[in-house]
Amino acid sequence: MPKAKEQGTAPFILALASTGYGYCVGILNGALPVKATVAILGWISPILFGYHLYVNWRRYPEYRAVIQKAFLWGGLVMGIYGVYQYMVAPQWDRLWLIGSGLTSSAGRPEPFGMRVWSTLNSPGPFGDVMATTLLILFSSTSPLILPAAIAGGLAFLLSSVRVAWIGWLVGMLFISTSLRPKQQLRLITLFAVLALFIVPLSTMEPFSTTISKRLETLSDIQNDTSAQDRQGVYKRFFQSGMYNYIGDGIGLNEIVDSGPLSLVLDLGWLGTIPYLGSLLLLTTTLMGNLKKQADLFVKLAGAVLIKSTVFFLATRVTSGIHGMFIWSFLGIGLAGQNYFKYQRTLQMENIVEKDVEKTLDVEAS
């Protein structure tokens, strides 16, 4: 705590305190200790990882390189396997689809019948991973960026996760407005080249039917059962859930298709306000200085956060993959800002030192 003010890490401490509160309430309300403990580990791991990235801002170039490499190879491998999974439907994936009970939401256990989840456990998390990957790839300079983006982009469309599609589009629109002219040209060029490959593939069988049917549902919300279910969730929330001040606690509720509702159910308003407050404070700090940054990766971290706000309206984003993306890119984005601020300070000090030396030389002569 004494270091929190000096380091600027108080929001991370505040978020951890909120999750601790939710854990205690869950235990008091009868949550099984093992289940509650596993659940809170899913909540605090993203926060601690983001905290680690932030406080070690001096190692930002190393972390940036590692993250770029991870998403490059991850996008390539997951994208290729995702297309293979859709076309072949391997036996182990059929077994998982049937055994997990996802046949109602993830498709049929047969070739060309699955919604792609690749190496993950369901289409939703995979959609978030690929949406993030297709944003981060724009900061890479590797020759593998194009095959990774093509394979990942096609698998991304075959996942049929509409919230991920919308989130990626919103993230792209956001980043395009915060780039410098040279960076905008690079983004437009990469996007155009990618479109030349993805658009023809997505309009060919056996891909076009699956993708086009899912795209059509975006304009037919009234007959969309998924959208209607979410409307029902929010309706119940405003009728009764919004008055849950103390909360049920962590480890009692299952995943709800609403970020705000799941937060209030688990933490109540007593825990939700400081948790959201910490997120808003860190996000405001990152976004406030984003246009001044020359580093493309820092700006893409902001785009990932914008993408995550779309997921926040549709699912729980406080734990698991969704939570990791939010807190990780908050941490690495703020670390980048601190790193480049420190570099500018060093440059200014060097300039001052050189000016002083010149002045002394003139006086001596």
Side-chain angles (χ1 to χ4, degrees):
M1 287 302 293
K3 288 185 177 181
K5 185 177 180 180
E6 178 185 347
Q7 296 176 333
T9 56
F12 292 95
I13 305 299
L14 192 63
L16 288 171
S18 296
T19 58
Y21 163 81
Y23 177 76
C24 293
V25 172
I27 295 295
L28 292 174
N29 283 340
L32 295 175
V34 173
K35 185 177 180 180
T37 301
V38 171
I40 195 175
L41 288 174
W43 281 65
I44 65 174
S45 297
I47 301 173
L48 292 175
F49 188 66
Y51 174 88
H52 171 78
L53 294 173
Y54 178 63
V55 297
N56 291 284
W57 57 265
R58 288 179 175 82
R59 299 183 64 185
Y60 169 75
E62 295 176 61
Y63 291 158
R64 178 184 58 189
V66 170
I67 292 173
Q68 287 173 325
K69 189 175 181 180
F71 276 98
L72 176 69
W73 285 100
L76 182 63
V77 172
M78 288 190 291
I80 291 173
Y81 182 76
V83 176
Y84 171 79
Q85 181 186 62
Y86 175 77
M87 298 181 68
V88 178
Q91 189 63 38
W92 51 84
D93 285 329
R94 299 186 197 187
L95 178 64
W96 168 252
L97 183 59
I98 297 170
S100 63
L102 291 174
T103 50
S104 60
S105 61
R108 306 180 306 277
E110 59 188 41
F112 313 115
M114 293 179 174
R115 290 175 59 189
V116 167
W117 65 86
S118 190
T119 58
L120 277 73
N121 65 337
S122 63
F126 175 71
D128 196 3
V129 169
M130 290 314 303
T132 305
T133 299
L134 292 173
L135 289 171
I136 297 302
L137 283 179
F138 285 113
S139 68
S140 177
T141 56
S142 169
L144 290 175
I145 180 175
L146 191 57
I150 293 171
L154 185 57
F156 179 54
L157 291 173
L158 292 173
S159 70
S160 298
V161 182
R162 292 168 303 182
V163 65
W165 295 351
I166 296 171
W168 176 80
L169 181 60
V170 172
M172 285 293 294
L173 292 173
F174 170 80
I175 192 65
S176 64
T177 60
S178 62
L179 295 178
R180 297 180 177 183
K182 188 176 180 180
Q183 293 174 331
Q184 286 180 337
L185 181 62
R186 168 183 165 81
L187 184 66
I188 292 170
T189 303
L190 289 173
F191 186 77
V193 173
L194 182 60
L196 286 174
F197 288 91
I198 292 293
V199 172
L201 285 172
S202 63
T203 55
M204 294 168 53
E205 291 295 347
F207 309 122
S208 61
T209 301
T210 300
I211 296 171
S212 60
K213 283 184 178 179
R214 196 60 172 172
L215 284 172
E216 289 172 2
T217 61
L218 290 172
S219 59
D220 190 19
I221 301 298
Q222 293 181 348
N223 296 321
D224 188 342
T225 55
S226 179
Q228 291 174 356
D229 289 342
R230 284 198 172 89
Q231 290 175 5
V233 167
Y234 277 99
K235 185 178 180 180
R236 291 191 296 273
F237 170 65
F238 286 109
Q239 287 177 346
S240 57
M242 66 180 299
Y243 301 107
N244 192 341
Y245 299 106
I246 296 177
D248 300 333
I250 293 175
L252 280 175
N253 298 307
E254 299 299 325
I255 295 177
V256 181
D257 288 339
S258 167
L261 177 57
S262 65
L263 261 180
V264 175
L265 285 177
D266 291 338
L267 302 182
W269 286 109
L270 290 177
T272 297
I273 291 174
Y275 188 93
L276 280 182
S278 64
L279 281 175
L280 289 173
L281 185 59
L282 292 170
T283 302
T284 302
T285 303
L286 177 62
M287 297 299 183
N289 301 315
L290 210 56
K291 288 189 176 182
K292 300 177 183 178
Q293 294 294 325
D295 186 64
L296 180 58
F297 189 82
V298 173
K299 294 182 177 182
L300 286 169
V304 172
L305 292 174
I306 294 297
K307 176 268 308 176
S308 294
T309 59
V310 178
F311 275 89
F312 180 65
L313 298 175
T315 189
R316 175 185 285 168
V317 296
T318 51
S319 61
I321 287 175
H322 305 303
M324 282 297 293
F325 284 152
I326 290 175
W327 288 100
S328 297
F329 283 96
L330 271 174
I332 194 67
L334 292 168
Q337 287 189 350
N338 284 349
Y339 177 81
F340 289 112
K341 182 180 178 181
Y342 178 69
Q343 293 299 315
R344 288 193 296 270
T345 302
L346 289 180
Q347 290 176 0
M348 291 298 297
E349 289 177 352
N350 289 334
I351 291 173
V352 171
E353 288 179 1
K354 289 180 180 179
D355 289 342
V356 171
E357 289 176 0
K358 288 181 180 179
T359 303
L360 292 175
D361 290 341
V362 170
E363 291 177 352
S365 61

Short mmCIF file of all heavy atoms in Angstrom, two decimals, residues 38-92:
data_model
loop_
_atom_site.label_atom_id
_atom_site.label_comp_id
_atom_site.label_asym_id
_atom_site.label_seq_id
_atom_site.Cartn_x
_atom_site.Cartn_y
_atom_site.Cartn_z
N VAL A 38 -11.45 -21.49 -6.57
CA VAL A 38 -11.14 -21.61 -8.00
C VAL A 38 -11.68 -20.39 -8.76
O VAL A 38 -11.03 -19.85 -9.64
CB VAL A 38 -11.74 -22.91 -8.57
CG1 VAL A 38 -11.62 -22.93 -10.09
CG2 VAL A 38 -11.04 -24.12 -7.98
N ALA A 39 -12.89 -19.96 -8.38
CA ALA A 39 -13.50 -18.82 -9.06
C ALA A 39 -12.71 -17.53 -8.84
O ALA A 39 -12.47 -16.76 -9.78
CB ALA A 39 -14.94 -18.64 -8.58
N ILE A 40 -12.28 -17.30 -7.60
CA ILE A 40 -11.56 -16.04 -7.33
C ILE A 40 -10.18 -16.05 -7.98
O ILE A 40 -9.66 -15.00 -8.37
CB ILE A 40 -11.44 -15.76 -5.82
CG1 ILE A 40 -11.02 -14.29 -5.60
CG2 ILE A 40 -10.48 -16.71 -5.15
CD1 ILE A 40 -10.99 -13.86 -4.17
N LEU A 41 -9.58 -17.23 -8.14
CA LEU A 41 -8.31 -17.30 -8.87
C LEU A 41 -8.49 -16.84 -10.32
O LEU A 41 -7.62 -16.20 -10.90
CB LEU A 41 -7.75 -18.72 -8.84
CG LEU A 41 -7.18 -19.19 -7.49
CD1 LEU A 41 -6.79 -20.65 -7.55
CD2 LEU A 41 -5.98 -18.34 -7.11
N GLY A 42 -9.65 -17.17 -10.89
CA GLY A 42 -9.96 -16.70 -12.23
C GLY A 42 -10.16 -15.20 -12.30
O GLY A 42 -9.93 -14.58 -13.34
N TRP A 43 -10.56 -14.59 -11.18
CA TRP A 43 -10.75 -13.13 -11.12
C TRP A 43 -9.43 -12.40 -10.91
O TRP A 43 -9.17 -11.37 -11.54
CB TRP A 43 -11.70 -12.78 -9.98
CG TRP A 43 -13.16 -12.99 -10.26
CD1 TRP A 43 -13.79 -14.17 -10.49
CD2 TRP A 43 -14.18 -11.98 -10.29
NE1 TRP A 43 -15.13 -13.97 -10.67
CE2 TRP A 43 -15.40 -12.64 -10.55
CE3 TRP A 43 -14.18 -10.61 -10.11
CZ2 TRP A 43 -16.61 -11.96 -10.65
CZ3 TRP A 43 -15.39 -9.92 -10.20
CH2 TRP A 43 -16.59 -10.59 -10.48
N ILE A 44 -8.61 -12.91 -9.97
CA ILE A 44 -7.43 -12.12 -9.58
C ILE A 44 -6.23 -12.35 -10.50
O ILE A 44 -5.35 -11.50 -10.59
CB ILE A 44 -7.01 -12.42 -8.12
CG1 ILE A 44 -6.53 -13.87 -7.96
CG2 ILE A 44 -8.14 -12.11 -7.17
CD1 ILE A 44 -5.97 -14.17 -6.58
N SER A 45 -6.18 -13.49 -11.21
CA SER A 45 -5.04 -13.75 -12.10
C SER A 45 -4.87 -12.67 -13.16
O SER A 45 -3.75 -12.18 -13.38
CB SER A 45 -5.17 -15.13 -12.76
OG SER A 45 -5.15 -16.15 -11.78
N PRO A 46 -5.94 -12.26 -13.87
CA PRO A 46 -5.77 -11.18 -14.85
C PRO A 46 -5.30 -9.86 -14.22
O PRO A 46 -4.47 -9.16 -14.79
CB PRO A 46 -7.18 -11.02 -15.45
CG PRO A 46 -7.83 -12.33 -15.23
CD PRO A 46 -7.31 -12.82 -13.92
N ILE A 47 -5.83 -9.55 -13.03
CA ILE A 47 -5.44 -8.30 -12.36
C ILE A 47 -3.96 -8.34 -12.00
O ILE A 47 -3.21 -7.37 -12.23
CB ILE A 47 -6.29 -8.07 -11.10
CG1 ILE A 47 -7.77 -8.02 -11.45
CG2 ILE A 47 -5.88 -6.78 -10.39
CD1 ILE A 47 -8.69 -7.97 -10.24
N LEU A 48 -3.50 -9.47 -11.45
CA LEU A 48 -2.10 -9.59 -11.05
C LEU A 48 -1.17 -9.57 -12.25
O LEU A 48 -0.07 -9.02 -12.19
CB LEU A 48 -1.90 -10.88 -10.25
CG LEU A 48 -2.58 -10.92 -8.87
CD1 LEU A 48 -2.40 -12.29 -8.23
CD2 LEU A 48 -2.01 -9.84 -7.96
N PHE A 49 -1.62 -10.17 -13.36
CA PHE A 49 -0.78 -10.17 -14.56
C PHE A 49 -0.65 -8.76 -15.13
O PHE A 49 0.44 -8.34 -15.52
CB PHE A 49 -1.37 -11.12 -15.60
CG PHE A 49 -0.47 -11.33 -16.78
CD1 PHE A 49 0.75 -11.98 -16.63
CD2 PHE A 49 -0.82 -10.88 -18.04
CE1 PHE A 49 1.60 -12.18 -17.72
CE2 PHE A 49 0.01 -11.08 -19.12
CZ PHE A 49 1.22 -11.72 -18.97
N GLY A 50 -1.77 -8.04 -15.17
CA GLY A 50 -1.73 -6.65 -15.62
C GLY A 50 -0.87 -5.79 -14.71
O GLY A 50 -0.10 -4.93 -15.17
N TYR A 51 -0.96 -6.04 -13.41
CA TYR A 51 -0.15 -5.32 -12.42
C TYR A 51 1.34 -5.59 -12.66
O TYR A 51 2.16 -4.68 -12.63
CB TYR A 51 -0.56 -5.78 -11.03
CG TYR A 51 0.29 -5.25 -9.90
CD1 TYR A 51 -0.01 -4.03 -9.30
CD2 TYR A 51 1.38 -5.97 -9.42
CE1 TYR A 51 0.76 -3.55 -8.24
CE2 TYR A 51 2.16 -5.50 -8.38
CZ TYR A 51 1.84 -4.28 -7.80
OH TYR A 51 2.62 -3.80 -6.77
N HIS A 52 1.68 -6.86 -12.93
CA HIS A 52 3.07 -7.23 -13.18
C HIS A 52 3.62 -6.49 -14.41
O HIS A 52 4.74 -5.98 -14.38
CB HIS A 52 3.16 -8.74 -13.40
CG HIS A 52 4.50 -9.21 -13.87
ND1 HIS A 52 5.57 -9.36 -13.03
CD2 HIS A 52 4.95 -9.54 -15.11
CE1 HIS A 52 6.63 -9.77 -13.71
NE2 HIS A 52 6.27 -9.89 -14.99
N LEU A 53 2.84 -6.45 -15.47
CA LEU A 53 3.29 -5.75 -16.68
C LEU A 53 3.49 -4.27 -16.41
O LEU A 53 4.44 -3.66 -16.90
CB LEU A 53 2.27 -5.94 -17.80
CG LEU A 53 2.09 -7.36 -18.35
CD1 LEU A 53 0.93 -7.40 -19.34
CD2 LEU A 53 3.37 -7.86 -19.01
N TYR A 54 2.60 -3.70 -15.62
CA TYR A 54 2.64 -2.26 -15.38
C TYR A 54 3.84 -1.86 -14.53
O TYR A 54 4.55 -0.91 -14.85
CB TYR A 54 1.34 -1.83 -14.70
CG TYR A 54 1.28 -0.37 -14.35
CD1 TYR A 54 1.32 0.60 -15.34
CD2 TYR A 54 1.19 0.06 -13.02
CE1 TYR A 54 1.27 1.96 -15.03
CE2 TYR A 54 1.14 1.40 -12.70
CZ TYR A 54 1.18 2.35 -13.71
OH TYR A 54 1.13 3.68 -13.40
N VAL A 55 4.07 -2.57 -13.43
CA VAL A 55 5.16 -2.17 -12.52
C VAL A 55 6.54 -2.46 -13.11
O VAL A 55 7.53 -1.86 -12.70
CB VAL A 55 5.03 -2.85 -11.14
CG1 VAL A 55 3.75 -2.42 -10.44
CG2 VAL A 55 5.10 -4.36 -11.25
N ASN A 56 6.60 -3.36 -14.09
CA ASN A 56 7.87 -3.65 -14.76
C ASN A 56 7.94 -2.93 -16.11
O ASN A 56 8.38 -3.50 -17.11
CB ASN A 56 8.04 -5.16 -14.95
CG ASN A 56 8.26 -5.89 -13.64
OD1 ASN A 56 9.34 -5.86 -13.07
ND2 ASN A 56 7.22 -6.53 -13.14
N TRP A 57 7.54 -1.67 -16.13
CA TRP A 57 7.45 -0.92 -17.39
C TRP A 57 8.81 -0.74 -18.06
O TRP A 57 8.88 -0.52 -19.27
CB TRP A 57 6.80 0.44 -17.14
CG TRP A 57 7.48 1.30 -16.10
CD1 TRP A 57 7.17 1.39 -14.79
CD2 TRP A 57 8.60 2.18 -16.32
NE1 TRP A 57 8.01 2.26 -14.15
CE2 TRP A 57 8.90 2.78 -15.07
CE3 TRP A 57 9.36 2.53 -17.43
CZ2 TRP A 57 9.93 3.70 -14.91
CZ3 TRP A 57 10.39 3.45 -17.28
CH2 TRP A 57 10.66 4.03 -16.02
N ARG A 58 9.89 -0.84 -17.30
CA ARG A 58 11.21 -0.70 -17.92
C ARG A 58 11.51 -1.83 -18.90
O ARG A 58 12.37 -1.71 -19.76
CB ARG A 58 12.30 -0.64 -16.83
CG ARG A 58 12.31 0.66 -16.04
CD ARG A 58 13.37 0.65 -14.97
NE ARG A 58 13.48 1.92 -14.28
CZ ARG A 58 12.67 2.30 -13.28
NH1 ARG A 58 11.71 1.48 -12.88
NH2 ARG A 58 12.81 3.48 -12.71
N ARG A 59 10.79 -2.94 -18.77
CA ARG A 59 10.99 -4.08 -19.66
C ARG A 59 9.94 -4.09 -20.78
O ARG A 59 9.73 -5.12 -21.43
CB ARG A 59 10.91 -5.39 -18.86
CG ARG A 59 11.97 -5.50 -17.78
CD ARG A 59 11.89 -6.84 -17.07
NE ARG A 59 12.20 -7.94 -17.97
CZ ARG A 59 12.10 -9.23 -17.63
NH1 ARG A 59 11.71 -9.56 -16.41
NH2 ARG A 59 12.38 -10.17 -18.51
N TYR A 60 9.31 -2.96 -21.00
CA TYR A 60 8.24 -2.87 -22.00
C TYR A 60 8.67 -3.40 -23.38
O TYR A 60 7.91 -4.17 -24.00
CB TYR A 60 7.74 -1.43 -22.12
CG TYR A 60 6.84 -1.20 -23.31
CD1 TYR A 60 5.53 -1.67 -23.31
CD2 TYR A 60 7.32 -0.54 -24.45
CE1 TYR A 60 4.71 -1.48 -24.43
CE2 TYR A 60 6.51 -0.34 -25.55
CZ TYR A 60 5.21 -0.81 -25.54
OH TYR A 60 4.40 -0.63 -26.63
N PRO A 61 9.83 -3.02 -23.92
CA PRO A 61 10.20 -3.54 -25.25
C PRO A 61 10.25 -5.06 -25.31
O PRO A 61 9.84 -5.67 -26.31
CB PRO A 61 11.58 -2.93 -25.49
CG PRO A 61 11.60 -1.68 -24.66
CD PRO A 61 10.83 -2.05 -23.43
N GLU A 62 10.74 -5.68 -24.22
CA GLU A 62 10.79 -7.15 -24.18
C GLU A 62 9.39 -7.74 -24.17
O GLU A 62 9.07 -8.66 -24.93
CB GLU A 62 11.52 -7.62 -22.92
CG GLU A 62 12.98 -7.25 -22.85
CD GLU A 62 13.57 -7.69 -21.51
OE1 GLU A 62 13.54 -8.91 -21.23
OE2 GLU A 62 14.03 -6.83 -20.75
N TYR A 63 8.53 -7.19 -23.31
CA TYR A 63 7.16 -7.71 -23.19
C TYR A 63 6.40 -7.51 -24.50
O TYR A 63 5.62 -8.37 -24.92
CB TYR A 63 6.43 -7.00 -22.05
CG TYR A 63 6.94 -7.36 -20.67
CD1 TYR A 63 6.72 -6.52 -19.58
CD2 TYR A 63 7.62 -8.55 -20.44
CE1 TYR A 63 7.17 -6.85 -18.31
CE2 TYR A 63 8.09 -8.88 -19.18
CZ TYR A 63 7.86 -8.03 -18.11
OH TYR A 63 8.30 -8.36 -16.86
N ARG A 64 6.58 -6.36 -25.11
CA ARG A 64 5.90 -6.09 -26.39
C ARG A 64 6.30 -7.12 -27.43
O ARG A 64 5.44 -7.66 -28.16
CB ARG A 64 6.25 -4.68 -26.87
CG ARG A 64 5.64 -4.30 -28.21
CD ARG A 64 6.12 -2.93 -28.65
NE ARG A 64 7.58 -2.87 -28.74
CZ ARG A 64 8.26 -1.75 -28.93
NH1 ARG A 64 7.62 -0.59 -29.04
NH2 ARG A 64 9.59 -1.77 -29.01
N ALA A 65 7.60 -7.42 -27.53
CA ALA A 65 8.09 -8.38 -28.52
C ALA A 65 7.52 -9.77 -28.26
O ALA A 65 7.13 -10.49 -29.20
CB ALA A 65 9.62 -8.42 -28.50
N VAL A 66 7.47 -10.17 -27.00
CA VAL A 66 6.95 -11.49 -26.64
C VAL A 66 5.46 -11.59 -26.97
O VAL A 66 5.00 -12.60 -27.52
CB VAL A 66 7.19 -11.79 -25.15
CG1 VAL A 66 6.44 -13.04 -24.71
CG2 VAL A 66 8.68 -11.96 -24.88
N ILE A 67 4.69 -10.56 -26.63
CA ILE A 67 3.25 -10.57 -26.90
C ILE A 67 2.99 -10.60 -28.41
O ILE A 67 2.13 -11.35 -28.89
CB ILE A 67 2.58 -9.35 -26.24
CG1 ILE A 67 2.63 -9.49 -24.72
CG2 ILE A 67 1.13 -9.20 -26.70
CD1 ILE A 67 2.16 -8.26 -23.97
N GLN A 68 3.73 -9.80 -29.17
CA GLN A 68 3.55 -9.80 -30.63
C GLN A 68 3.85 -11.18 -31.21
O GLN A 68 3.11 -11.67 -32.08
CB GLN A 68 4.48 -8.76 -31.26
CG GLN A 68 4.03 -7.32 -31.04
CD GLN A 68 5.06 -6.32 -31.53
OE1 GLN A 68 6.27 -6.57 -31.44
NE2 GLN A 68 4.60 -5.21 -32.05
N LYS A 69 4.91 -11.81 -30.73
CA LYS A 69 5.29 -13.13 -31.23
C LYS A 69 4.25 -14.18 -30.86
O LYS A 69 3.90 -15.06 -31.67
CB LYS A 69 6.66 -13.52 -30.66
CG LYS A 69 7.25 -14.77 -31.27
CD LYS A 69 8.66 -15.01 -30.74
CE LYS A 69 9.28 -16.26 -31.37
NZ LYS A 69 10.66 -16.51 -30.87
N ALA A 70 3.73 -14.09 -29.64
CA ALA A 70 2.72 -15.05 -29.18
C ALA A 70 1.45 -14.96 -30.02
O ALA A 70 0.87 -15.97 -30.42
CB ALA A 70 2.41 -14.81 -27.70
N PHE A 71 1.01 -13.73 -30.29
CA PHE A 71 -0.21 -13.56 -31.09
C PHE A 71 0.03 -13.91 -32.55
O PHE A 71 -0.89 -14.39 -33.24
CB PHE A 71 -0.73 -12.13 -30.95
CG PHE A 71 -1.58 -11.93 -29.72
CD1 PHE A 71 -1.04 -11.39 -28.57
CD2 PHE A 71 -2.91 -12.30 -29.71
CE1 PHE A 71 -1.81 -11.22 -27.44
CE2 PHE A 71 -3.69 -12.14 -28.59
CZ PHE A 71 -3.14 -11.59 -27.45
N LEU A 72 1.22 -13.67 -33.06
CA LEU A 72 1.53 -14.03 -34.45
C LEU A 72 1.43 -15.54 -34.65
O LEU A 72 0.71 -16.02 -35.53
CB LEU A 72 2.93 -13.53 -34.81
CG LEU A 72 3.44 -13.92 -36.21
CD1 LEU A 72 2.65 -13.20 -37.29
CD2 LEU A 72 4.93 -13.62 -36.33
N TRP A 73 2.17 -16.30 -33.83
CA TRP A 73 2.15 -17.75 -33.96
C TRP A 73 0.82 -18.35 -33.50
O TRP A 73 0.34 -19.33 -34.08
CB TRP A 73 3.31 -18.36 -33.17
CG TRP A 73 4.62 -18.19 -33.86
CD1 TRP A 73 5.58 -17.25 -33.60
CD2 TRP A 73 5.11 -18.94 -34.97
NE1 TRP A 73 6.64 -17.37 -34.46
CE2 TRP A 73 6.38 -18.42 -35.33
CE3 TRP A 73 4.60 -20.02 -35.71
CZ2 TRP A 73 7.13 -18.94 -36.37
CZ3 TRP A 73 5.36 -20.53 -36.76
CH2 TRP A 73 6.60 -19.99 -37.07
N GLY A 74 0.23 -17.75 -32.48
CA GLY A 74 -1.08 -18.22 -32.03
C GLY A 74 -2.13 -18.05 -33.11
O GLY A 74 -2.95 -18.95 -33.35
N GLY A 75 -2.13 -16.88 -33.76
CA GLY A 75 -3.09 -16.65 -34.82
C GLY A 75 -2.90 -17.61 -35.99
O GLY A 75 -3.87 -18.11 -36.56
N LEU A 76 -1.64 -17.90 -36.32
CA LEU A 76 -1.35 -18.81 -37.43
C LEU A 76 -1.81 -20.24 -37.10
O LEU A 76 -2.52 -20.87 -37.89
CB LEU A 76 0.15 -18.79 -37.72
CG LEU A 76 0.62 -19.66 -38.90
CD1 LEU A 76 0.02 -19.18 -40.22
CD2 LEU A 76 2.16 -19.66 -38.99
N VAL A 77 -1.40 -20.74 -35.94
CA VAL A 77 -1.72 -22.12 -35.56
C VAL A 77 -3.22 -22.29 -35.32
O VAL A 77 -3.86 -23.22 -35.85
CB VAL A 77 -0.93 -22.54 -34.31
CG1 VAL A 77 -1.40 -23.90 -33.80
CG2 VAL A 77 0.56 -22.57 -34.61
N MET A 78 -3.82 -21.39 -34.54
CA MET A 78 -5.24 -21.51 -34.24
C MET A 78 -6.10 -21.29 -35.48
O MET A 78 -7.16 -21.89 -35.64
CB MET A 78 -5.64 -20.52 -33.15
CG MET A 78 -5.14 -20.90 -31.77
SD MET A 78 -5.86 -19.89 -30.46
CE MET A 78 -5.09 -18.31 -30.81
N GLY A 79 -5.64 -20.39 -36.37
CA GLY A 79 -6.39 -20.16 -37.59
C GLY A 79 -6.40 -21.37 -38.51
O GLY A 79 -7.45 -21.79 -39.00
N ILE A 80 -5.22 -21.96 -38.72
CA ILE A 80 -5.13 -23.14 -39.59
C ILE A 80 -5.93 -24.30 -39.01
O ILE A 80 -6.70 -24.96 -39.72
CB ILE A 80 -3.65 -23.55 -39.78
CG1 ILE A 80 -2.92 -22.50 -40.62
CG2 ILE A 80 -3.56 -24.92 -40.44
CD1 ILE A 80 -1.42 -22.73 -40.72
N TYR A 81 -5.78 -24.52 -37.69
CA TYR A 81 -6.53 -25.63 -37.10
C TYR A 81 -8.03 -25.35 -37.10
O TYR A 81 -8.84 -26.27 -37.25
CB TYR A 81 -6.07 -25.92 -35.67
CG TYR A 81 -6.80 -27.11 -35.09
CD1 TYR A 81 -6.47 -28.40 -35.48
CD2 TYR A 81 -7.87 -26.94 -34.21
CE1 TYR A 81 -7.16 -29.49 -34.99
CE2 TYR A 81 -8.57 -28.02 -33.72
CZ TYR A 81 -8.22 -29.30 -34.11
OH TYR A 81 -8.91 -30.37 -33.65
N GLY A 82 -8.41 -24.08 -36.95
CA GLY A 82 -9.83 -23.74 -36.97
C GLY A 82 -10.48 -24.07 -38.30
O GLY A 82 -11.60 -24.62 -38.34
N VAL A 83 -9.80 -23.76 -39.41
CA VAL A 83 -10.33 -24.10 -40.74
C VAL A 83 -10.38 -25.62 -40.90
O VAL A 83 -11.35 -26.17 -41.44
CB VAL A 83 -9.47 -23.46 -41.84
CG1 VAL A 83 -9.96 -23.89 -43.22
CG2 VAL A 83 -9.50 -21.93 -41.72
N TYR A 84 -9.33 -26.30 -40.45
CA TYR A 84 -9.31 -27.76 -40.50
C TYR A 84 -10.45 -28.35 -39.68
O TYR A 84 -11.13 -29.30 -40.11
CB TYR A 84 -7.96 -28.26 -39.98
CG TYR A 84 -7.87 -29.76 -39.77
CD1 TYR A 84 -7.66 -30.62 -40.84
CD2 TYR A 84 -8.00 -30.30 -38.49
CE1 TYR A 84 -7.58 -31.99 -40.66
CE2 TYR A 84 -7.93 -31.67 -38.29
CZ TYR A 84 -7.71 -32.51 -39.38
OH TYR A 84 -7.65 -33.87 -39.18
N GLN A 85 -10.67 -27.80 -38.50
CA GLN A 85 -11.75 -28.28 -37.63
C GLN A 85 -13.11 -28.14 -38.31
O GLN A 85 -13.94 -29.06 -38.25
CB GLN A 85 -11.75 -27.47 -36.32
CG GLN A 85 -12.81 -27.87 -35.32
CD GLN A 85 -12.83 -26.94 -34.12
OE1 GLN A 85 -13.10 -25.74 -34.26
NE2 GLN A 85 -12.52 -27.48 -32.96
N TYR A 86 -13.33 -27.04 -38.98
CA TYR A 86 -14.61 -26.81 -39.67
C TYR A 86 -14.81 -27.80 -40.82
O TYR A 86 -15.91 -28.32 -41.01
CB TYR A 86 -14.64 -25.38 -40.18
CG TYR A 86 -15.88 -25.05 -41.00
CD1 TYR A 86 -17.10 -24.82 -40.38
CD2 TYR A 86 -15.81 -24.99 -42.40
CE1 TYR A 86 -18.24 -24.52 -41.13
CE2 TYR A 86 -16.93 -24.70 -43.15
CZ TYR A 86 -18.15 -24.46 -42.51
OH TYR A 86 -19.27 -24.18 -43.26
N MET A 87 -13.76 -28.07 -41.57
CA MET A 87 -13.89 -28.91 -42.76
C MET A 87 -13.88 -30.40 -42.46
O MET A 87 -14.52 -31.19 -43.16
CB MET A 87 -12.77 -28.57 -43.75
CG MET A 87 -12.80 -27.13 -44.23
SD MET A 87 -11.49 -26.75 -45.43
CE MET A 87 -12.03 -27.73 -46.83
N VAL A 88 -13.15 -30.81 -41.41
CA VAL A 88 -12.97 -32.23 -41.13
C VAL A 88 -13.79 -32.70 -39.94
O VAL A 88 -14.28 -33.84 -39.91
CB VAL A 88 -11.47 -32.54 -40.90
CG1 VAL A 88 -11.26 -34.00 -40.54
CG2 VAL A 88 -10.67 -32.17 -42.14
N ALA A 89 -13.98 -31.83 -38.94
CA ALA A 89 -14.64 -32.20 -37.68
C ALA A 89 -13.98 -33.41 -37.06
O ALA A 89 -14.57 -34.51 -37.03
CB ALA A 89 -16.14 -32.45 -37.90
N PRO A 90 -12.74 -33.29 -36.55
CA PRO A 90 -12.03 -34.43 -35.97
C PRO A 90 -12.84 -35.09 -34.85
O PRO A 90 -13.66 -34.44 -34.18
CB PRO A 90 -10.75 -33.80 -35.41
CG PRO A 90 -10.57 -32.54 -36.19
CD PRO A 90 -11.94 -32.05 -36.48
N GLN A 91 -12.57 -36.36 -34.64
CA GLN A 91 -13.36 -37.14 -33.69
C GLN A 91 -13.30 -36.55 -32.28
O GLN A 91 -14.30 -36.54 -31.57
CB GLN A 91 -12.87 -38.60 -33.67
CG GLN A 91 -13.75 -39.55 -32.88
CD GLN A 91 -15.15 -39.67 -33.45
OE1 GLN A 91 -15.31 -39.68 -34.66
NE2 GLN A 91 -16.15 -39.75 -32.60
N TRP A 92 -12.11 -36.07 -31.86
CA TRP A 92 -11.99 -35.52 -30.51
C TRP A 92 -12.81 -34.23 -30.34
O TRP A 92 -13.33 -33.97 -29.26
CB TRP A 92 -10.52 -35.27 -30.15
CG TRP A 92 -9.75 -34.49 -31.17
CD1 TRP A 92 -9.69 -33.14 -31.32
CD2 TRP A 92 -8.93 -35.03 -32.21
NE1 TRP A 92 -8.89 -32.79 -32.37
CE2 TRP A 92 -8.40 -33.93 -32.95
CE3 TRP A 92 -8.57 -36.33 -32.59
CZ2 TRP A 92 -7.55 -34.09 -34.04
CZ3 TRP A 92 -7.72 -36.48 -33.66
CH2 TRP A 92 -7.22 -35.38 -34.38
#
